[in-house]
Structure formats: structure tokens, C-alpha cells
Amino acid sequence: MSNSVYYCGGKNSLSRLTFNKLVSSLGCHIFSARLLHQYHFVDEPMNWTEAQTYCRKKHTDLATIENGEEVMQFRNTFLPFEYNSKVWIGLYSKLNWEWSDGYEGPGADYKKWKVNEPNFYIDNELCVASGGNNDPWHDDPCSKNHRIICNNGAKLDPKFIIVKEGMNWPNAQKYCRENFVDLATLRNDNESLEIQTMVENGWAWIGLFRDPHIYWSDGSSFSFKYWFTGPKPLNSLSLVCGVADLQASGKWTLFPCDRKLPFVCYSTRVIRQVVKLRMKPGDSSVDLNDPAVKEDLLKKFQDRLKTRGVKGVTLKWIKQSDGKVFHKDGKSSQKKKRNKSEL
């Protein structure tokens, strides 16, 4: 079989460069475009749950932002409006504080936070350290190195031990479990004051930490991050919701979900594109219109997309008026005839 032309179409979210690289190794040529979220600003203050309900009814969901291009798309949404403050987006997080040893008995909910703590000041402040000199607890990035407080007694009769070697929270947990019982669990003011006396100055890890997961309302994967560096008061909240601060280039912070704020929804436009490809099979006996062959080709395309981390793409063959997808390239046949006549 000579060179053949075929068509495929479907939802596409690839850049031209990415898709051309994808198919060039298959001997094909293709043109495509990129589809970003379409954002909708709603200047009607609601709490986060009300905003979520509105967006799901009128559009797709509260705004999801998954890369730098979508940050720009999001910010451009506000150009026609005279608004430059905070808006709800689809982020939320459950503040589930736990003790390393799994303690859930009396006093498990005890907290001795420093004023304005916890505040998730920078990304990954998910672990808790206690200060000395009557300086209570604060959340800190788990990667920081601090001294550690281990428990070498029973859960209900702890014996606290300070380890002056600095290490991050995961290594501190491992060290305490290997050499003692676990990181310290503190259930009341007396135990908290005892720890502060042992620390004297600086900070030391205790066993408190929280669920690291942050979610998008539409269930999208949370991998891209655009956090505002600064205080994000969590206080004693068990649930916090995401805000984009337009005065800080749209960077994200966390607020109590019952606040009344304007918000941004998003919708997804389905764009059907006709993509023209030219192929020359290595084996002339292969029938490209064979259903098994067409299915195998589509699978190879989809697998290539997955290996490059491209999501949300569906490829389908489009049949022409005669019911076939592939046709021999007439120009190629004519060229061959001319070459023969010249001989």
C-alpha cells in the first residue's frame, strides 16, 4: 500500500510542539492547539460551599489551576472587572492533627499553640515543634532540623527524653521508635510545660502532625502549587478553603470556609478538531482500514500521550462518506506514474 491519508479527531489539550514531537517518530505530521480552562468571575459573595454549589450548577466546578499558563488565564479573567482582592477557588484541606503514636485517649485533642499558630506560613508546615522558655507550639516544615522529644514510658505514664541531635521530623520519628517508644504525645498543660523546660531555648519536635493532603473541588490531582508565602491562620479550624489573592498575583492562601467572598468557576469547552495525518506503512500488505489495525494505532497514540503525562485527550477515527478512514494518496500514485513514464 502506498502513502495513505487518514483523519482522527476529539478533545485535545496538547500544545502543537508536544503533539508534533509525539507523532514525528511515527512518520506522521499533525497540527493541534491547546485548550485551557475557561474561567468565570462571579461577583456575588458566598461562602465556599455555596460557591461550589453555584459553580457546579451553572458551569463545571470552582476554579482549578494546574499550571503556570492557567495562572495567567485565571488572572486575565479579571481584566474587564474593577476587582482586585480575594476570591474563592476550588482548593480545600482537612486539618486532621494526629499523634505519632496513634494516641486517641483522654487529652488527645489538647493543643498549646503559640499566638497566631498554626499558620501554614510556607508550604509543607505539617509538623509541630515546641519552643522553650514558655514558648508554645507552632507548625513548621517537616524538613527542618530540630532537637527532638521522645517518650520512653507508657502512653498514660510518659517519660520524656530530649535528644539534642538535630534532625527532620520523619527521621526524628524513626529515631524515637528505634531507640525509645515514639515521639512525645502531650495531653495537658503540665506535660507541655515540662517539655518547654527541657527545651530551654530554640525548638524541638514533638509527635503532632497533620494530613498533608490538599484537594481540588473537582477531584483534580494537586501537584502544581502557587502558595502565598506569609501567615495563613488555621487556628483551631478543622476545614479550610482556598483563596486566590489578586493583590498577590493570584497566589493562594487559606481561609475559614464560612467567609463570604466572590468566587471563580470554570467550564470546559469541548473542541472537536480534525487532524490530518500522512502515513506510509512499512508492510504494504497491511490494511489500515482493518478494525484491529485501527484500534492498535489509536492505542499506540494514547500510550504515547500517557508516557508524556498528557491527560484529558481522546482520539477517535472519523469515517469518510464511503465508510473508510484511510485512502491511498492520489498525488503519490500520480507521481509514481510520472516517474515510470520518464523511464
Side-chain angles (χ1 to χ4, degrees):
M1 184 179 293
S2 62
N3 285 5
S4 298
V5 174
Y6 64 90
Y7 302 89
C8 64
K11 293 188 299 181
N12 204 319
S13 62
L14 297 173
S15 67
R16 180 175 298 178
L17 178 62
T18 300
F19 207 86
N20 281 343
K21 284 184 177 179
L22 166 67
V23 298
S24 62
S25 61
L26 299 180
C28 305
H29 184 65
I30 193 166
F31 296 95
S32 183
R34 184 170 183 82
L35 174 64
L36 300 176
H37 286 143
Q38 184 174 2
Y39 296 112
H40 310 275
F41 173 52
V42 182
D43 193 6
E44 182 180 347
M46 297 185 188
N47 65 41
W48 190 90
T49 303
E50 292 168 342
Q52 180 191 55
T53 300
Y54 178 98
C55 290
R56 288 179 173 179
K57 182 178 180 180
K58 300 289 186 179
H59 302 285
T60 300
D61 211 320
L62 273 167
T64 294
I65 304 167
E66 298 186 87
N67 53 57
E69 289 179 76
E70 290 187 349
V71 168
M72 294 304 298
Q73 177 92 351
F74 179 86
R75 290 168 59 182
N76 290 340
T77 301
F78 300 91
L79 293 179
F81 305 96
E82 294 183 1
Y83 187 82
N84 188 35
S85 189
K86 298 175 178 62
V87 290
W88 288 127
I89 56 175
L91 282 178
Y92 70 97
S93 181
K94 299 175 182 179
L95 304 182
N96 183 26
W97 295 100
E98 304 175 53
W99 291 104
S100 176
D101 63 2
Y103 181 74
E104 295 180 344
D109 294 332
Y110 171 79
K111 303 292 186 299
K112 190 67 173 180
W113 295 113
K114 184 178 180 179
V115 176
N116 296 324
E117 294 282 348
N119 66 7
F120 199 55
Y121 193 92
I122 58 176
D123 188 17
N124 196 36
E125 287 196 345
L126 307 169
C127 299
V128 178
S130 176
N133 296 322
N134 296 318
D135 201 355
W137 313 349
H138 77 294
D139 58 342
D140 219 8
C142 304
S143 58
K144 275 193 175 181
N145 287 337
H146 291 312
R147 292 168 291 170
I148 61 178
I149 304 293
C150 301
N151 175 25
N152 199 33
K155 288 184 179 180
L156 296 179
D157 185 23
K159 292 182 174 58
F160 300 127
I161 294 173
I162 186 167
V163 178
K164 295 186 177 181
E165 178 185 355
M167 58 188 80
N168 62 38
W169 195 93
N171 286 337
Q173 182 188 57
K174 181 180 179 182
Y175 182 90
C176 288
R177 288 177 173 179
E178 289 179 347
N179 295 278
F180 304 102
V181 175
D182 211 319
L183 279 165
T185 294
L186 309 181
R187 302 165 299 159
N188 51 56
D189 283 342
N190 289 336
E191 292 178 352
S192 184
L193 288 171
E194 180 181 348
I195 294 300
Q196 291 172 33
T197 301
M198 295 172 66
V199 175
E200 294 184 349
N201 57 69
W203 300 93
W205 290 124
I206 58 175
L208 196 63
F209 69 103
R210 74 177 176 90
D211 181 353
H213 295 107
I214 296 174
Y215 305 92
W216 287 110
S217 175
D218 67 355
S220 296
S221 173
F222 183 80
S223 53
F224 175 75
K225 300 175 183 179
Y226 195 56
W227 290 114
F228 165 74
T229 298
K232 308 173 189 66
L234 307 181
N235 302 317
S236 59
L237 297 171
S238 59
L239 180 69
V240 288
C241 295
V243 165
D245 189 347
L246 301 176
Q247 292 184 344
S249 302
K251 290 189 175 181
W252 310 335
T253 187
L254 297 169
F255 269 27
C257 302
D258 59 358
R259 292 273 187 93
K260 299 278 188 177
L261 292 173
F263 55 95
V264 178
C265 308
Y266 85 90
S267 61
T268 302
R269 295 176 296 160
V270 178
I271 294 180
R272 293 184 179 276
Q273 288 183 277
V274 177
V275 182
K276 188 175 182 180
L277 300 171
R278 188 180 299 275
M279 292 185 65
K280 184 176 181 180
D283 185 351
S284 61
S285 66
V286 174
D287 180 6
L288 294 182
N289 282 304
D290 184 309
V293 174
K294 291 188 292 184
E295 182 180 354
D296 183 60
L297 284 170
L298 276 187
K299 185 177 185 303
K300 287 179 178 178
F301 276 98
Q302 295 284 178
D303 289 345
R304 291 288 186 89
L305 295 175
K306 289 181 181 178
T307 59
R308 285 160 174 76
V310 179
K311 302 177 182 179
V313 176
T314 301
L315 298 175
K316 295 181 180 180
W317 299 120
I318 296 179
K319 293 181 180 180
Q320 298 184 57
S321 58
D322 60 0
K324 293 183 178 181
V325 172
F326 297 97
H327 291 83
K328 290 184 179 180
D329 188 345
K331 292 182 180 180
S332 178
S333 299
Q334 292 173 7
K335 183 177 180 181
K336 286 184 176 181
K337 288 180 181 179
R338 287 198 299 270
N339 290 340
K340 286 182 180 179
S341 64
E342 290 171 0
L343 294 173

